[in-house]
Amino acid sequence: VFVALILLAYSLPAFAATTEAQQAAESLSELGLFQGTEKGFELDRAPTRQEAVVMLVRLLGQEKTAQNGAYQHPFTDVASWASPYVGYAYQNGLAQGTGATTFGGQQLTTAPQYLTFVLRALGYRSETDFSWQEAPAFAGQIGLTGGYQNANSFTRGDAAVISWQALSLPYKGSETTLLERLQQQGGLTVQTPSSGLQVH
């Protein structure tokens, strides 16, 4: 029987947003889908666009694939450590540049941008299913999130919460969730995280 994800925060509305983000990050980390930096998770810091793509590729269980592949991209402003991830995302239609040869790697990620990355990963097309500017509203419609309208305050913690919620959603036109696909592919470090957010 496939498992389904339930955010404990839904049943405990008194949780502070920071607590929800911490638990999401810890749960994702235990599953092998999220990592911190040398300073920890840094959930209160805004991620750069290249960091956001790294988060996305890890969420999809494709980090080793990206690192071991030869995924190319045309961008000249991506750090060498992030280049394999950006190449993988670019080649798989998950992320686009800010110009023909620019990705905006050091620019801070906004909520619409990260939600667009995740929505594309779930099979939605930003050209036809939604516009990236309206990604928060569309994400709310499919149950990914109902907030994150303020792009100026988007943090790594917000990315963790969105990523955790994404695991329980099915791919477009399918009943298979992201979590189920990761299980099928053996892309999880463990099957059930021990932290507060639970997998049933």
Side-chain angles (χ1 to χ4, degrees), residues 82-145:
S83 190
Y85 302 88
V86 173
Y88 177 89
Y90 177 75
Q91 290 294 331
N92 285 280
L94 303 176
Q96 300 172 1
T98 58
T101 60
T102 57
F103 185 73
Q106 294 292 339
Q107 295 177 12
L108 297 183
T109 306
T110 65
Q113 288 173 351
Y114 190 70
L115 287 167
T116 295
F117 293 159
V118 174
L119 288 168
R120 287 173 181 157
L122 291 172
Y124 295 96
R125 294 183 178 274
S126 54
E127 297 81 9
T128 55
D129 295 314
F130 69 98
S131 65
W132 74 266
Q133 297 95 330
E134 300 298 326
F138 183 79
Q141 292 173 15
I142 68 168
L144 177 57
T145 175

Side-chain angles (χ1 to χ4, degrees), residues 37-49:
T37 71
E38 67 279 359
K39 299 179 181 179
F41 288 138
E42 292 193 271
L43 299 179
D44 293 330
R45 179 173 64 78
T48 63
R49 277 174 54 86

